[in-house]
């Protein structure tokens, strides 16, 4: 409720007379939850039914609790108003409503469900809003009543409505037309914001905004749009946008728990479908609102005053799938009007322009006046101020509004600004905010969709893109060495960029063909950028695919490979490279979705082996074995933890492990070289072979098995079935203590490319790189990005899969586009064909007739055999038809005209 907020300025304006108040309610009662006594599935039933039935009585109980003076009900079934008396008569009588008005069904699409009014006071007039003569547009006619409220001459005009439901394009189009008829009715009646007018009911403001330039497909066959409604027609989820003047105010109504939900009583939360719109005159007076939910109706001490005692918690859910909305309004007090206007009236997210909203007083004051500014969607826009100070002696002030692009898909929406000042009726101004983050939508052939990622901060997926394979790390100009996604760029410039680890990253953009034409050809352009370079690093790649109906088609012309020749470090400007491709032969119907999928993949790095391997060990020497150890090398590319790695000793005699497992966490960390760190551990009792072996386990999986002094097969434990291959070198037991270990040697990045050798007479090197061993560090990744994407819906007039830009005959009428331009016919209209004709002029005479154009030369030729042609007329075009007499006494003759540019 917002009673306290409205009352405060009123109290400052005493002495104003007490206004006449009344209570108004709207309730969509059509769908009732039915629970069969036999335990069968529940279902929805329409109509209030007979008195004594659960549907009728639960609706009656809710209405009795609200105790409204006037109520509009939606989805009253035709059977409920059939008979004398009928079910509605019974409901009205039980609640003390002596007056009712049921909207007729004449020229409506839905003749089953009606909108009605019940009132304790008589109607001064009744009407129904429908389509104009010759049109059929309205789902259910909208009743309008003027109610004779006692004690005032400022009686309210109230319109109850139930707009077309659904989310399809045709549903949205029909709702837009219905709201245009409602707004047009109020304008035709001369009602202004000084009058007491009210709109309430089920507005069904669902789905997203859309502008229609033609009738959508899927409309009823009998749908006929009135000639007075020109295209374009825009559907908006904000009903205030349909009013060009005298914009009403939407009253905020909440449940007692603060929820604005008015729909789906079976859920805790739901959408707001049922609204109350009132004139500024009513909005500027004391008022209070509530969405009634019996679950929260626990006391007469909370919420608006109500009749009787609190209802059972289940009453609302059993009565309808909607909640009732009601309000206490006041009719008599009046204040001067503020006026407000926005310029421009729409603002695109991320645009460089701003909008200005000006508030004007009817006359200047001798003191300054502060006007508060309240947008109903504060997150959508940035305001220069939250209030306007109009100086003494002035009549106006303004605020500036900008729309930052947030890369979050919220749909285009209309933001309503409410301007309030002490001593004035409030006023609304509506600004359309065009969302730049919905799926990219093509609305007409020839359209180009561009994405520059300007202002993208790299904190989340930039809608309508979806990425996978890495986390977002923010903005970067190429200085960071941390793997992950980021917005590469300088200043406000952005992109989808990534510094890869060992896994690919996929980024997908969603598109929809929202036009009335099949999409048969696309042109795709983008800029591939490299913001971080490593000389001789990995050649990362970026590849693109078109995905239609789940089928991916590679686009090789868009492939990009990062340079490995740039100096290491950040690359100023991103070293942009353009890529372009034209795709033809497509078949993407209207209202169909498709996507572009870009894959950032790591290039070859030289790492062809596991990230963890056995690098050196010692098991036998002269006399008593001493200093036995095993060394394990771990690459910097290993993404696990030391606890994931363990070593097992295997007995070649029985193929089983002996001793306990040795976790890497028990090893001693040594030095790092070539991107590998060496861990070693002294292990007493390593068997002396003939044969024996070692098994390396990573993440519970065996990754390496080796043996010395013979080959064997594991028979037990995690290495059961594994072949322990002989490394080819051994320790005979005669080497000096501390010398002649076995290990890998050579220079490479791959352990498989190293060789096992015996380091004869050389000291052991546990925890360090081996003698004669050089491990080349894996190639480092490059930082690459996708930027400045441009996708064009190439026009294809004849829908042959060849775009008009390259199609020699756009309309497929067998005359080339070049010829049609020469002839003066349209290359985009198959019915526009250059055809000379014969016209009879007199008996035995005819004329060969053709149209001419200036700048052309026309040569008329005649032949009797279609092989030899003789010129009979050469003439410059004048823009007028030319007729050449033809004598009909020839046995046969053929005529043609040759056209050329002069």
């Amino acid at each position: 409720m917002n009673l306290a907020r409205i009352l405060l300025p009123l109290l400052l304006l005493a002495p104003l007379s007490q206004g006449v108040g009344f209570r108004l309610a709207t309730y969509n009662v059509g769908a009732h939850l039915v629970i069969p006594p036999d335990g069968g599935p529940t279902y929805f039933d329409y109509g209030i039914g007979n008195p004594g039935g659960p549907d009728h009585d639960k609706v009656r109980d809710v209405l009795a609790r609200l105790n409204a003076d006037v109520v509009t009900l939606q989805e009253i079934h035709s059977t409920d108003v059939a008979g004398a008396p009928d079910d509605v008569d019974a409901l009205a009588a039980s609640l003390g409503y002596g007056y009712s008005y049921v909207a007729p069904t004449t020229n409506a699409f839905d003749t089953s469900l009606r909108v009605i009014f019940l009132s304790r006071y008589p109607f001064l007039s009744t009407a129904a809003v429908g389509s104009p003569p010759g049109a059929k547009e309205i789902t259910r006619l909208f009743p309008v009543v003027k109610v004779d409220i006692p004690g005032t001459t400022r009686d309210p005009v109230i319109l109850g409505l139930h707009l077309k439901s659904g989310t399809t394009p045709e549903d949205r189009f029909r709702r837009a037309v219905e709201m245009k008829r409602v707004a047009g009715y109020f304008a035709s009646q001369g009602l202004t914001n000084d009058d007491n007018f009210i709109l309430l009911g089920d507005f069904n403001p669902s789905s997203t905004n859309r502008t229609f330039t033609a009738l959508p497909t899927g409309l009823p066959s009998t749908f006929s749009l009135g000639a007075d409604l020109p295209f374009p027609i825009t559907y908006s989820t904000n009903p205030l946008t349909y009013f060009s003047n005298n914009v009403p105010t939407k009253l905020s109504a909440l449940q007692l728990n603060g929820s604005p939900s008015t729909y789906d009583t079976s859920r805790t939360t739901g959408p707001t479908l049922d609204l109350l719109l009132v004139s500024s005159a009513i909005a500027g007076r004391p008022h209070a609102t509530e969405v009634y939910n019996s679950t929260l109706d626990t006391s007469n001490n909370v919420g608006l005053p109500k009749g009787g005692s609190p209802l059972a918690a289940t009453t609302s859910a059993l009565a309808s799938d909607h909640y009732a909305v009601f309000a206490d309004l006041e009719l008599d007090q009046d204040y001067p009007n503020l006026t407000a206007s926005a310029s421009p009236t729409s603002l695109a997210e991320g645009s460089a322009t701003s909008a200005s909203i000006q508030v004007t007083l009817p006359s200047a004051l001798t003191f300054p006046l502060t006007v508060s500014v309240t947008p109903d969607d504060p997150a959508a826009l940035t305001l220069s101020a939250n209030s306007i100070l109009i100086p003494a002696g002035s009549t106006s002030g303004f605020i500036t509004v900008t729309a930052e692009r947030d890369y979050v898909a919220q749909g285009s929406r209309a933001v309503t600004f409410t301007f309030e000042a002490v001593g004035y009726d409030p006023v609304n101004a509506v600004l359309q905010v065009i969302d730049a983050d919905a799926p990219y939508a093509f609305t007409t052939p020839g359209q180009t969709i561009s994405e520059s990622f300007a202002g993208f901060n790299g904190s989340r997926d930039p809608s309508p893109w979806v990425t996978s394979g890495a986390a977002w790390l923010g903005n970067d100009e190429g200085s960071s060495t941390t793997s992950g996604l980021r917005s590469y760029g300088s200043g406000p410039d952005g992109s989808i960029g990534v510094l890869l680890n060992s896994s690919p990253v996929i980024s997908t953009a969603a598109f929809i063909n929202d036009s009335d034409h099949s999409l048969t050809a696309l042109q795709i352009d983008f800029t591939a950028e490299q913001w971080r370079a490593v000389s001789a690093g990995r050649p990362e790649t970026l590849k693109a695919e078109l995905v239609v109906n789940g089928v991916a088609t590679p686009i090789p012309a868009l492939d990009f490979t990062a340079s490995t020749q740039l100096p290491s470090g950040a690359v100023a400007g991103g070293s942009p490279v353009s890529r372009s491709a034209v795709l033809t032969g497509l078949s993407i119907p209207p209202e169909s979705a498709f996507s572009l999928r870009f894959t950032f993949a790591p290039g070859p790095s030289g790492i062809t082996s596991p990230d963890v391997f056995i690098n050196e060990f010692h098991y036998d020497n002269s006399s008593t074995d001493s200093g036995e150890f095993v060394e394990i090398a771990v690459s910097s590319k290993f993404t696990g933890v030391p606890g994931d790695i363990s070593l097992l000793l295997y007995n070649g005699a029985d193929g089983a492990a002996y001793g306990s497992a040795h976790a890497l966490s028990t090893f001693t960390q040594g030095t790092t070289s070539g991107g590998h760190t060496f861990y070693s551990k002294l292990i007493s009792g390593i068997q002396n072979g003939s044969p024996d072996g070692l098994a390396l386990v990573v993440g519970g999986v065996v990754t390496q098995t080796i043996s010395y002094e013979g080959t064997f097969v594991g028979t037990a434990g995690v290495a059961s079935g594994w072949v322990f291959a002989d490394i080819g070198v051994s320790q005979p037991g005669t080497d000096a203590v501390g010398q002649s270990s076995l290990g890998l040697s050579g220079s490479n990045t791959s352990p498989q490319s190293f060789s096992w050798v015996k380091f004869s007479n050389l000291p052991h090197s546990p925890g360090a790189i081996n003698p004669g061993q050089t491990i080349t560090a894996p190639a480092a990744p490059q930082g690459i990005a996708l930027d400045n994407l441009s996708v064009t819906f190439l026009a294809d007039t004849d829908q042959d899969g060849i775009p008009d830009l390259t199609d020699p005959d756009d309309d497929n009428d067998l005359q080339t586009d070049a010829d049609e331009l020469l002839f003066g016919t349209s290359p985009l209209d198959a019915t526009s064909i250059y055809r000379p004709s014969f016209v009879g002029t007199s008996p035995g005479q005819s004329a060969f007739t053709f149209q001419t154009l200036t700048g052309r030369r026309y040569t008329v030729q005649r032949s009797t055999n279609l092989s030899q042609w003789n010129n009979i007329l050469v003439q410059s075009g004048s823009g007028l038809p030319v007729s050449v007499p033809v004598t009909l006494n020839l046995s046969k003759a053929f005529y043609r005209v040759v056209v050329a540019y002069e």
Side-chain angles (χ1 to χ4, degrees):
M1 293 185 298
N2 50 13
L3 180 59
R5 181 179 65 84
I6 300 298
L7 277 175
L8 179 57
L10 293 175
L11 294 174
L12 297 174
L13 294 172
L16 286 174
S17 61
Q18 180 65 36
V20 173
F22 80 113
R23 176 168 289 186
L24 179 65
T26 177
Y27 197 12
N28 184 326
V29 300
H32 310 275
L33 185 63
V34 177
I35 305 175
D38 60 1
T42 60
Y43 63 94
F44 283 110
D45 183 29
Y46 290 90
I48 58 173
N50 299 323
D55 296 349
H56 186 107
D57 290 356
K58 296 302 180 186
V59 169
R60 179 202 63 206
D61 292 345
V62 170
L63 293 177
R65 184 71 170 138
L66 302 187
N67 196 28
D69 298 303
V70 181
V71 60
T72 179
L73 303 177
Q74 300 89 47
E75 295 193 10
I76 291 294
H77 199 276
S78 290
T79 57
D80 294 328
V81 292
D86 54 42
D87 296 333
V88 169
D89 292 334
L91 178 68
S94 68
L95 295 168
Y97 292 119
Y99 305 91
S100 65
Y101 176 60
V102 180
T105 59
T106 306
N107 205 32
F109 285 102
D110 186 349
T111 58
S112 296
L113 301 179
R114 319 278 278 275
V115 183
I116 74 169
F117 273 102
L118 301 177
S119 174
R120 292 198 172 102
Y121 308 121
F123 300 132
L124 295 173
S125 63
T126 61
V129 177
S131 305
K136 186 174 182 180
E137 310 155 331
I138 307 300
T139 308
R140 292 164 285 267
L141 301 192
F142 311 127
V144 186
V145 296
K146 186 171 185 178
V147 185
D148 187 8
I149 303 294
T152 182
T153 59
R154 297 171 57 81
D155 297 303
V157 175
I158 311 170
L159 183 147
L161 54 72
H162 183 193
L163 299 180
K164 177 70 176 73
S165 63
T167 59
T168 65
E170 57 267 29
D171 292 330
R172 287 178 279 168
F173 178 77
R174 291 173 65 180
R175 272 200 299 281
V177 171
E178 290 173 346
M179 273 305 302
K180 282 183 172 291
R181 293 301 180 202
V182 169
Y185 173 81
F186 281 96
S188 70
Q189 299 302 302
L191 294 169
T192 72
N193 267 320
D194 285 332
D195 297 306
N196 292 324
F197 69 82
I198 303 165
L199 302 81
L200 74 170
D202 183 354
F203 285 74
N204 277 314
S206 54
S207 193
T208 56
N209 296 355
R210 175 169 174 172
T211 297
F212 297 87
T213 57
L215 292 175
T217 58
L219 291 171
S221 59
T222 57
F223 185 94
S224 177
L225 183 67
D228 60 325
L229 290 184
F231 288 99
I233 292 176
T234 297
Y235 167 70
S236 173
T237 58
N238 185 342
L240 303 185
T241 62
Y242 295 95
F243 295 83
S244 57
N245 296 299
N246 296 297
V247 179
T249 298
K250 181 170 64 176
L251 299 185
S252 174
L254 305 174
Q255 297 182 31
L256 294 180
N257 61 0
S259 169
S261 171
T262 68
Y263 175 69
D264 200 347
T265 52
S266 66
R267 295 188 296 176
T268 303
T269 59
T272 303
L273 303 184
D274 307 87
L275 305 174
L276 285 165
L277 309 184
V278 301
S279 62
S280 295
I282 294 177
R285 305 180 191 122
H287 60 266
T289 58
E290 185 180 327
V291 177
Y292 179 75
N293 181 350
S294 61
T295 303
L296 307 173
D297 184 13
T298 58
S299 168
N300 281 339
N301 296 323
V302 293
L304 295 183
K306 300 177 182 69
S309 300
L311 301 178
T314 58
T315 305
S316 290
L318 293 174
S320 174
D321 56 347
H322 285 248
Y323 293 110
V325 182
F326 64 115
D328 289 335
L329 306 176
E330 195 167 293
L331 300 177
D332 268 354
Q333 294 180 358
D334 193 20
Y335 306 110
N337 297 330
L338 298 172
T339 58
S341 60
S343 180
T345 57
S346 65
L347 200 59
E349 281 188 348
S351 64
T353 60
S354 60
S356 175
I357 307 180
Q358 179 172 295
V359 176
T360 304
L361 306 178
S363 60
L365 300 175
T366 59
F367 53 87
L369 180 70
T370 299
V371 181
S372 67
V373 184
T374 307
D376 62 356
D377 188 358
L381 296 161
T382 301
L383 281 62
S384 59
N386 293 320
S387 63
I388 298 172
L389 181 63
I390 300 178
S394 179
T395 58
S396 65
F398 68 93
I399 59 167
T400 301
V401 180
T402 56
E404 304 290 339
R405 186 174 177 190
D406 55 10
Y407 291 91
V408 177
Q410 302 173 79
S412 296
R413 58 244 190 242
V415 178
T416 301
F417 291 83
T418 300
F419 297 88
E420 297 175 289
V422 174
Y424 291 85
D425 282 340
V427 67
N428 294 316
V430 179
L431 186 65
Q432 294 282 352
V433 180
I434 302 170
D435 187 20
D437 307 315
Y440 300 123
F442 287 109
T443 58
T444 183
Q447 177 185 355
T448 297
I449 292 174
S450 300
E451 177 59 83
S452 67
F453 301 102
F456 174 49
N457 64 11
S459 63
R460 65 171 73 87
D461 284 353
S463 183
W465 294 75
V466 176
T467 58
S468 62
W472 284 101
L473 302 177
N475 294 108
D476 186 9
E477 295 185 6
S479 59
S480 173
T481 59
T482 303
S483 296
L485 284 156
R486 68 257 286 138
S487 177
Y488 274 130
S490 301
D493 181 30
S495 65
I496 293 180
V498 64
L499 190 67
L500 294 164
N501 52 29
S502 57
S503 301
V505 166
I506 296 174
S507 190
T508 303
F511 291 79
I512 186 169
N513 178 10
D514 216 6
S515 76
D516 294 326
H517 304 267
S518 288
L519 191 159
T520 63
L522 282 172
Q523 179 171 331
I524 304 169
D525 300 271
F526 76 93
T527 303
E529 299 172 341
Q530 185 168 350
W531 285 87
R532 181 164 185 80
V534 176
S535 182
R538 284 192 324 211
E540 321 288 43
T541 61
L542 175 58
K543 297 179 181 293
E545 299 168 296
L546 176 70
V547 183
V548 181
N549 294 326
V551 178
T553 302
I555 313 174
L558 300 182
D559 288 356
F560 167 76
T561 301
S563 172
T564 60
Q565 306 302 313
L566 294 173
S568 296
V571 180
S575 187
V577 176
S578 297
R579 289 289 184 265
S580 181
V582 173
L583 307 182
T584 60
L586 307 176
S587 181
I588 302 175
E591 304 300 328
S592 296
F594 64 98
S595 61
L596 283 177
R597 184 166 65 200
F598 292 85
T599 300
F600 300 81
S605 65
I607 296 296
T608 59
S609 65
D611 294 332
V612 182
F613 54 91
I614 300 168
N615 194 52
E616 183 184 6
F617 66 99
H618 160 61
Y619 65 90
D620 196 7
N621 54 256
S622 61
S623 186
T624 303
D625 292 342
S626 174
E628 299 161 288
F629 74 92
V630 176
E631 178 186 84
I632 296 174
V634 180
S635 167
S636 60
K637 290 298 184 183
F638 178 66
T639 58
V641 296
D644 295 334
I645 303 171
S646 62
L647 179 78
L648 292 172
L649 307 179
Y650 261 76
N651 185 350
D654 60 8
Y658 65 93
S660 59
H662 301 273
L664 189 70
S665 56
T666 64
F667 282 54
T668 299
Q669 180 175 334
T671 61
T672 297
S673 180
H676 290 72
T677 300
F678 303 98
Y679 296 81
S680 63
K681 181 179 181 180
L682 294 173
I683 303 176
S684 179
I686 298 178
Q687 294 181 171
N688 289 344
S690 297
D692 287 309
L694 308 173
L696 188 63
V697 180
V698 180
V701 177
V702 175
T703 60
Q704 184 182 13
T705 56
I706 61 174
S707 68
Y708 47 95
E709 299 186 24
T711 297
F712 66 94
V713 178
T715 60
V718 293
S720 178
W722 278 73
V723 175
F724 287 72
D726 195 337
I727 62 174
V729 290
S730 62
Q731 293 181 310
T734 59
D735 298 314
V737 174
Q739 295 182 356
S740 306
S741 61
L742 310 179
L744 293 174
S745 183
S747 178
N748 213 308
T749 58
S750 168
Q752 289 93 330
S753 300
F754 294 135
S755 301
W756 282 99
V757 298
K758 178 179 179 180
F759 302 115
S760 300
N761 303 318
L762 294 176
H764 301 162
S765 58
I769 196 167
N770 296 335
Q773 182 182 38
T774 301
I775 301 180
T776 304
Q782 318 279 357
I784 60 176
L786 159 69
D787 200 359
N788 300 319
L789 177 70
S790 175
V791 183
T792 301
F793 180 165
L794 295 177
D796 179 13
T797 301
D798 55 9
Q799 294 284 286
D800 62 355
I802 305 173
D804 292 351
L805 289 174
T806 56
D807 192 342
D809 182 7
D810 286 344
D811 54 10
N812 211 23
D813 62 358
L814 304 182
Q815 291 187 344
T816 67
D817 296 349
D819 286 347
E820 294 208 56
L821 292 174
L822 179 64
F823 296 150
T825 56
S826 171
L828 301 179
D829 183 356
T831 65
S832 176
I833 300 175
Y834 191 67
R835 285 194 179 101
S837 61
F838 284 99
V839 178
T841 58
S842 63
Q845 293 290 322
S846 183
F848 181 65
T849 303
F850 54 91
Q851 180 66 41
T852 69
L853 293 175
T854 58
R856 308 319 193 251
R857 184 178 68 256
Y858 295 84
T859 303
V860 179
Q861 298 177 331
R862 182 173 60 202
S863 174
T864 58
N865 56 16
L866 292 179
S867 61
Q868 294 179 331
W869 292 89
N870 299 312
N871 294 346
I872 62 173
L873 176 69
V874 178
Q875 181 172 325
S876 294
S878 63
L880 300 173
V882 170
S883 294
V884 180
V886 175
T887 301
L888 300 181
N889 58 5
L890 296 174
S891 58
K892 62 179 178 180
F894 304 94
Y895 289 80
R896 71 183 182 185
V897 60
V898 178
V899 186
Y901 289 106
E902 287 193 320

